[in-house]
Amino acid sequence: MGETLLAISQLNKKFDTTGGSVQALYNVDLHVKEGEFITIIGPSGCGKSTLLRIVAGLDRGYTGSVTLNGNEIKGPGIDKGFIFQEHRLFPWLTVEKNIASDLPLGKPEVRRKVNELIELVKLQGFEQAYPRELSGGMAQRVAIARALLRSPQILLLDEPFGALDAFTRAHMQSVLLDIWRTNKTTMIFVTHDIDEAVFLGERVVILEPRPGQIRKIVPIDLPYPRKKASNSFQEVRLKVLSEFEKLEEFELKDGAGV
Ligand code: ADP
Ligand code: MG
Protein backbone atom coordinates (compact mmCIF):
# COMPACT_ATOMS: atom_id res chain seq x y z
CA MET A 1 0.00 0.00 0.00
CA GLY A 2 1.54 3.24 -1.02
CA GLU A 3 0.54 6.67 -2.08
CA THR A 4 -1.49 9.21 -0.15
CA LEU A 5 -4.92 9.36 -1.72
CA LEU A 6 -6.67 11.81 0.58
CA ALA A 7 -4.81 14.64 2.30
CA ILE A 8 -6.63 16.79 4.86
CA SER A 9 -4.54 19.62 6.26
CA GLN A 10 -5.47 22.23 8.85
CA LEU A 11 -9.14 21.79 8.10
CA ASN A 12 -11.39 24.20 9.99
CA LYS A 13 -15.13 24.39 9.63
CA LYS A 14 -17.45 26.82 11.36
CA PHE A 15 -21.23 26.97 11.22
CA ASP A 16 -22.69 30.42 11.77
CA THR A 17 -26.27 30.27 12.94
CA THR A 18 -28.63 32.74 14.55
CA GLY A 19 -27.84 31.06 17.88
CA GLY A 20 -24.12 31.79 17.43
CA SER A 21 -21.20 30.10 15.79
CA VAL A 22 -20.14 26.43 16.15
CA GLN A 23 -16.59 25.31 15.45
CA ALA A 24 -17.52 21.93 13.96
CA LEU A 25 -13.95 21.01 12.95
CA TYR A 26 -10.74 22.42 14.35
CA ASN A 27 -7.28 21.96 12.79
CA VAL A 28 -7.98 18.48 11.45
CA ASP A 29 -4.98 16.79 9.80
CA LEU A 30 -5.39 13.36 8.26
CA HIS A 31 -3.61 11.57 5.42
CA VAL A 32 -5.23 8.45 4.04
CA LYS A 33 -3.29 6.04 1.84
CA GLU A 34 -4.68 4.42 -1.25
CA GLY A 35 -6.48 1.22 -0.28
CA GLU A 36 -6.55 2.04 3.42
CA PHE A 37 -9.52 1.32 5.70
CA ILE A 38 -10.02 4.19 8.15
CA THR A 39 -12.70 4.25 10.82
CA ILE A 40 -13.74 7.47 12.52
CA ILE A 41 -15.34 7.34 15.93
CA GLY A 42 -16.56 9.93 18.39
CA PRO A 43 -19.60 11.09 20.34
CA SER A 44 -22.56 12.72 18.68
CA GLY A 45 -21.87 16.26 17.51
CA CYS A 46 -18.08 15.93 17.25
CA GLY A 47 -18.07 16.65 13.51
CA LYS A 48 -17.96 13.17 11.95
CA SER A 49 -20.65 13.83 9.35
CA THR A 50 -19.30 17.30 8.66
CA LEU A 51 -15.86 15.85 7.93
CA LEU A 52 -17.28 13.18 5.62
CA ARG A 53 -19.47 15.69 3.78
CA ILE A 54 -16.48 17.92 3.14
CA VAL A 55 -14.47 14.99 1.74
CA ALA A 56 -17.49 14.09 -0.41
CA GLY A 57 -17.50 17.62 -1.82
CA LEU A 58 -20.96 18.30 -0.39
CA ASP A 59 -19.81 21.21 1.76
CA ARG A 60 -17.29 23.78 0.61
CA GLY A 61 -17.38 26.45 3.30
CA TYR A 62 -14.15 25.57 5.13
CA THR A 63 -10.57 26.72 5.50
CA GLY A 64 -7.54 24.49 5.07
CA SER A 65 -6.96 22.02 2.30
CA VAL A 66 -8.62 18.77 1.32
CA THR A 67 -7.15 17.00 -1.71
CA LEU A 68 -7.85 13.72 -3.47
CA ASN A 69 -4.87 12.58 -5.56
CA GLY A 70 -3.37 16.03 -5.09
CA ASN A 71 -6.41 17.86 -6.47
CA GLU A 72 -8.51 20.11 -4.26
CA ILE A 73 -12.00 18.64 -3.86
CA LYS A 74 -14.32 20.91 -5.82
CA GLY A 75 -17.66 19.13 -5.47
CA PRO A 76 -19.33 15.74 -5.49
CA GLY A 77 -18.33 13.36 -8.26
CA ILE A 78 -18.06 9.76 -9.37
CA ASP A 79 -14.61 9.44 -7.77
CA LYS A 80 -16.33 9.53 -4.34
CA GLY A 81 -19.09 7.16 -3.22
CA PHE A 82 -21.29 7.99 -0.23
CA ILE A 83 -23.37 5.67 1.94
CA PHE A 84 -25.81 7.07 4.48
CA GLN A 85 -27.43 5.45 7.50
CA GLU A 86 -30.68 5.10 5.51
CA HIS A 87 -30.29 3.32 2.19
CA ARG A 88 -31.96 6.04 0.09
CA LEU A 89 -32.97 3.60 -2.66
CA PHE A 90 -35.72 4.44 -5.14
CA PRO A 91 -38.77 2.47 -3.94
CA TRP A 92 -40.21 2.21 -7.46
CA LEU A 93 -37.09 0.60 -8.95
CA THR A 94 -35.91 -3.01 -8.74
CA VAL A 95 -32.61 -3.92 -7.09
CA GLU A 96 -30.76 -4.07 -10.40
CA LYS A 97 -32.21 -0.76 -11.60
CA ASN A 98 -31.33 0.90 -8.31
CA ILE A 99 -27.74 -0.31 -8.73
CA ALA A 100 -27.55 0.82 -12.37
CA SER A 101 -29.00 4.24 -11.35
CA ASP A 102 -28.99 6.43 -14.45
CA LEU A 103 -26.99 4.03 -16.63
CA PRO A 104 -28.93 1.88 -19.14
CA LEU A 105 -29.05 -1.80 -18.16
CA GLY A 106 -29.46 -2.62 -21.85
CA LYS A 107 -25.82 -1.77 -22.45
CA PRO A 108 -23.68 -4.93 -22.15
CA GLU A 109 -20.92 -3.27 -20.09
CA VAL A 110 -23.46 -1.82 -17.64
CA ARG A 111 -25.20 -5.19 -17.38
CA ARG A 112 -21.87 -6.92 -16.76
CA LYS A 113 -20.87 -4.44 -14.05
CA VAL A 114 -24.28 -4.64 -12.32
CA ASN A 115 -24.15 -8.46 -12.31
CA GLU A 116 -20.64 -8.32 -10.90
CA LEU A 117 -21.78 -5.97 -8.10
CA ILE A 118 -24.82 -8.11 -7.29
CA GLU A 119 -22.48 -11.03 -6.81
CA LEU A 120 -20.06 -8.92 -4.76
CA VAL A 121 -22.78 -7.88 -2.29
CA LYS A 122 -24.30 -11.39 -2.34
CA LEU A 123 -27.74 -10.50 -3.71
CA GLN A 124 -28.04 -13.10 -6.47
CA GLY A 125 -31.69 -14.02 -6.90
CA PHE A 126 -32.92 -10.59 -5.75
CA GLU A 127 -32.23 -8.67 -8.98
CA GLN A 128 -35.96 -8.08 -9.60
CA ALA A 129 -36.97 -7.41 -6.00
CA TYR A 130 -38.14 -3.98 -4.84
CA PRO A 131 -36.66 -2.21 -1.80
CA ARG A 132 -39.79 -2.88 0.30
CA GLU A 133 -39.19 -6.61 -0.16
CA LEU A 134 -35.67 -6.44 1.27
CA SER A 135 -34.40 -6.59 4.85
CA GLY A 136 -32.47 -3.58 6.16
CA GLY A 137 -29.14 -5.30 5.61
CA MET A 138 -30.00 -6.29 2.05
CA ALA A 139 -31.16 -2.78 1.21
CA GLN A 140 -27.90 -1.38 2.55
CA ARG A 141 -26.00 -3.89 0.37
CA VAL A 142 -27.85 -2.52 -2.66
CA ALA A 143 -26.82 0.99 -1.63
CA ILE A 144 -23.19 -0.14 -1.38
CA ALA A 145 -23.36 -1.78 -4.82
CA ARG A 146 -24.85 1.39 -6.28
CA ALA A 147 -22.09 3.50 -4.75
CA LEU A 148 -19.49 1.17 -6.30
CA LEU A 149 -21.00 1.23 -9.80
CA ARG A 150 -18.64 3.87 -11.15
CA SER A 151 -15.60 2.44 -9.33
CA PRO A 152 -15.03 5.37 -6.95
CA GLN A 153 -11.55 5.93 -5.58
CA ILE A 154 -12.94 6.30 -2.11
CA LEU A 155 -16.06 5.09 -0.33
CA LEU A 156 -17.41 7.32 2.46
CA LEU A 157 -19.76 5.58 4.88
CA ASP A 158 -21.66 7.58 7.51
CA GLU A 159 -22.87 5.17 10.21
CA PRO A 160 -24.15 2.84 7.46
CA PHE A 161 -25.07 0.00 9.82
CA GLY A 162 -26.38 2.19 12.65
CA ALA A 163 -30.02 1.23 12.10
CA LEU A 164 -29.42 -2.54 11.82
CA ASP A 165 -29.82 -5.15 14.54
CA ALA A 166 -26.65 -6.61 16.10
CA PHE A 167 -26.62 -9.84 14.04
CA THR A 168 -27.23 -8.14 10.72
CA ARG A 169 -24.66 -5.52 11.61
CA ALA A 170 -21.99 -8.14 12.31
CA HIS A 171 -22.80 -9.84 9.01
CA MET A 172 -22.60 -6.54 7.13
CA GLN A 173 -19.20 -5.81 8.65
CA SER A 174 -17.89 -9.08 7.18
CA VAL A 175 -19.50 -8.38 3.81
CA LEU A 176 -17.85 -4.94 3.74
CA LEU A 177 -14.44 -6.41 4.56
CA ASP A 178 -14.90 -8.94 1.72
CA ILE A 179 -15.71 -6.07 -0.64
CA TRP A 180 -12.64 -4.19 0.54
CA ARG A 181 -10.41 -7.24 0.03
CA THR A 182 -11.82 -7.81 -3.46
CA ASN A 183 -11.97 -4.20 -4.70
CA LYS A 184 -9.21 -2.51 -2.66
CA THR A 185 -11.41 0.60 -2.48
CA THR A 186 -10.19 3.12 0.08
CA MET A 187 -12.75 3.30 2.90
CA ILE A 188 -13.62 5.98 5.42
CA PHE A 189 -16.20 4.58 7.78
CA VAL A 190 -17.90 6.65 10.49
CA THR A 191 -19.41 4.92 13.49
CA HIS A 192 -20.06 5.49 17.16
CA ASP A 193 -19.62 1.80 17.93
CA ILE A 194 -16.16 1.03 19.33
CA ASP A 195 -16.33 -2.70 18.42
CA GLU A 196 -17.21 -1.84 14.86
CA ALA A 197 -14.40 0.73 14.59
CA VAL A 198 -11.78 -1.71 15.90
CA PHE A 199 -13.14 -4.65 13.89
CA LEU A 200 -12.97 -2.81 10.58
CA GLY A 201 -10.27 -0.18 10.64
CA GLU A 202 -6.55 -0.35 9.97
CA ARG A 203 -6.50 2.92 11.87
CA VAL A 204 -9.15 4.31 14.19
CA VAL A 205 -9.44 8.09 14.27
CA ILE A 206 -10.91 9.26 17.57
CA LEU A 207 -12.66 12.63 17.43
CA GLU A 208 -13.62 14.76 20.38
CA PRO A 209 -16.23 17.52 20.42
CA ARG A 210 -16.34 21.27 21.12
CA PRO A 211 -14.48 21.99 18.99
CA GLY A 212 -14.49 18.84 16.80
CA GLN A 213 -10.89 17.71 16.56
CA ILE A 214 -8.75 14.61 16.36
CA ARG A 215 -7.95 13.35 19.81
CA LYS A 216 -5.89 10.35 18.77
CA ILE A 217 -5.24 8.03 15.85
CA VAL A 218 -4.88 4.40 16.96
CA PRO A 219 -3.32 1.91 14.54
CA ILE A 220 -4.97 -1.52 14.80
CA ASP A 221 -2.26 -4.07 14.16
CA LEU A 222 -4.53 -7.12 14.20
CA PRO A 223 -4.67 -9.37 11.13
CA TYR A 224 -7.99 -9.84 9.29
CA PRO A 225 -10.39 -11.51 9.77
CA ARG A 226 -10.46 -10.31 13.35
CA LYS A 227 -12.07 -12.20 16.19
CA LYS A 228 -14.10 -9.98 18.49
CA ALA A 229 -13.87 -12.51 21.32
CA SER A 230 -10.07 -12.81 21.19
CA ASN A 231 -7.87 -11.38 23.93
CA SER A 232 -5.88 -9.28 21.50
CA PHE A 233 -9.07 -7.72 20.12
CA GLN A 234 -10.34 -6.94 23.62
CA GLU A 235 -7.00 -5.38 24.51
CA VAL A 236 -7.11 -2.96 21.58
CA ARG A 237 -10.77 -2.25 22.23
CA LEU A 238 -10.02 -1.29 25.83
CA LYS A 239 -7.24 1.00 24.67
CA VAL A 240 -9.69 2.85 22.42
CA LEU A 241 -12.37 2.81 25.11
CA SER A 242 -9.98 4.36 27.64
CA GLU A 243 -9.72 7.43 25.41
CA PHE A 244 -13.47 7.89 25.80
CA GLU A 245 -13.34 7.48 29.54
CA LYS A 246 -10.79 10.31 29.66
CA LEU A 247 -13.11 12.27 27.43
CA GLU A 248 -16.05 11.73 29.75
CA GLU A 249 -14.08 12.92 32.77
CA PHE A 250 -13.27 16.03 30.82
CA GLU A 251 -16.93 16.50 29.90
CA LEU A 252 -18.05 16.13 33.51
CA LYS A 253 -15.45 18.59 34.78
CA ASP A 254 -16.51 20.90 32.01
CA GLY A 255 -20.09 20.62 33.23
CA ALA A 256 -21.24 20.20 29.67
CA GLY A 257 -22.45 16.60 29.70
CA VAL A 258 -22.38 14.34 26.68
P1 ADP B 1 -21.65 14.12 14.21
O1 ADP B 1 -21.86 13.58 12.84
O2 ADP B 1 -20.33 13.73 14.80
O3 ADP B 1 -22.76 13.80 15.15
P2 ADP B 1 -21.99 16.70 12.91
O4 ADP B 1 -20.87 16.76 11.94
O5 ADP B 1 -23.32 16.37 12.40
O6 ADP B 1 -21.59 15.73 14.11
O7 ADP B 1 -22.09 18.10 13.67
C1 ADP B 1 -20.98 18.74 14.26
C2 ADP B 1 -21.43 20.06 14.89
O8 ADP B 1 -21.80 20.96 13.85
C3 ADP B 1 -22.64 19.92 15.79
O9 ADP B 1 -22.49 20.83 16.86
C4 ADP B 1 -23.79 20.33 14.90
O10 ADP B 1 -24.83 20.87 15.64
C5 ADP B 1 -23.15 21.37 14.00
N1 ADP B 1 -23.77 21.38 12.65
C6 ADP B 1 -23.75 20.37 11.75
N2 ADP B 1 -24.37 20.72 10.61
C7 ADP B 1 -24.83 21.97 10.81
C8 ADP B 1 -25.55 22.90 10.00
N3 ADP B 1 -25.93 22.60 8.76
N4 ADP B 1 -25.83 24.12 10.53
C9 ADP B 1 -25.43 24.44 11.78
N5 ADP B 1 -24.74 23.63 12.59
C10 ADP B 1 -24.44 22.40 12.12
MG1 MG C 1 -23.34 12.29 12.06
Side-chain angles (χ1 to χ4, degrees):
M1 216 178 350
E3 302 296 301
T4 296
L5 176 69
L6 172 71
I8 301 173
S9 306
Q10 290 298 293
L11 172 61
N12 281 273
K13 167 76 187 175
K14 228 164 64 180
F15 287 108
D16 291 309
T17 62
T18 46
S21 124
V22 178
Q23 184 84 36
L25 295 170
Y26 175 71
N27 287 355
V28 170
D29 283 308
L30 179 66
H31 284 215
V32 178
K33 291 198 192 87
E34 212 178 312
E36 205 176 359
F37 202 133
I38 295 284
T39 49
I40 298 180
I41 185 165
S44 177
C46 68
K48 303 183 294 299
S49 294
T50 303
L51 180 59
L52 224 51
R53 286 175 53 80
I54 288 173
V55 174
L58 296 169
D59 192 335
R60 307 252 296 119
Y62 58 83
T63 64
S65 120
V66 185
T67 64
L68 196 67
N69 270 325
N71 303 312
E72 197 70 27
I73 289 172
K74 293 224 163 65
I78 59 171
D79 50 346
K80 304 175 286 288
F82 206 102
I83 315 272
F84 303 88
Q85 185 166 335
E86 342 72 68
H87 56 70
R88 302 196 182 185
L89 300 176
F90 296 115
W92 58 87
L93 293 182
T94 60
V95 164
E96 61 178 22
K97 285 191 174 145
N98 264 291
I99 296 174
S101 2
D102 55 337
L103 300 183
L105 264 173
K107 261 194 165 175
E109 64 266 33
V110 176
R111 163 56 63 192
R112 199 173 331 115
K113 181 81 189 177
V114 168
N115 288 352
E116 208 179 283
L117 288 166
I118 284 174
E119 199 173 315
L120 185 69
V121 300
K122 303 186 170 76
L123 281 172
Q124 299 102 313
F126 292 91
E127 293 83 352
Q128 308 304 328
Y130 286 87
R132 65 172 180 277
E133 299 170 309
L134 305 175
S135 69
M138 290 163 83
Q140 206 53 309
R141 267 139 65 196
V142 178
I144 293 171
R146 180 174 62 179
L148 291 172
L149 178 74
R150 290 176 158 104
S151 309
Q153 295 197 308
I154 194 164
L155 201 57
L156 308 164
L157 304 106
D158 195 357
E159 307 198 28
F161 308 150
L164 305 176
D165 66 82
F167 291 104
T168 308
R169 176 185 271 237
H171 175 61
M172 291 296 291
Q173 291 164 358
S174 300
V175 171
L176 188 64
L177 285 177
D178 282 347
I179 292 172
W180 177 55
R181 249 195 307 273
T182 310
N183 276 18
K184 313 268 188 313
T185 309
T186 310
M187 304 272 186
I188 303 191
F189 186 108
V190 163
T191 178
H192 54 239
D193 180 330
I194 293 178
D195 274 12
E196 186 165 72
V198 173
F199 184 71
L200 294 174
E202 293 178 286
R203 289 191 289 157
V204 175
V205 177
I206 301 174
L207 291 187
E208 64 180 48
R210 287 186 294 276
Q213 59 191 308
I214 294 181
R215 178 183 181 86
K216 200 166 201 166
I217 299 180
V218 183
I220 311 294
D221 296 320
L222 302 170
Y224 297 93
R226 294 169 176 165
K227 298 262 174 293
K228 287 181 187 160
S230 70
N231 288 335
S232 50
F233 186 92
Q234 288 304 322
E235 232 168 74
V236 181
R237 182 185 177 280
L238 283 176
K239 192 169 142 196
V240 174
L241 185 62
S242 72
E243 289 301 323
F244 287 99
E245 278 159 0
K246 284 182 220 160
L247 193 63
E248 253 168 56
E249 277 164 34
F250 162 80
E251 296 281 346
L252 291 175
K253 262 196 310 227
D254 204 32
V258 179

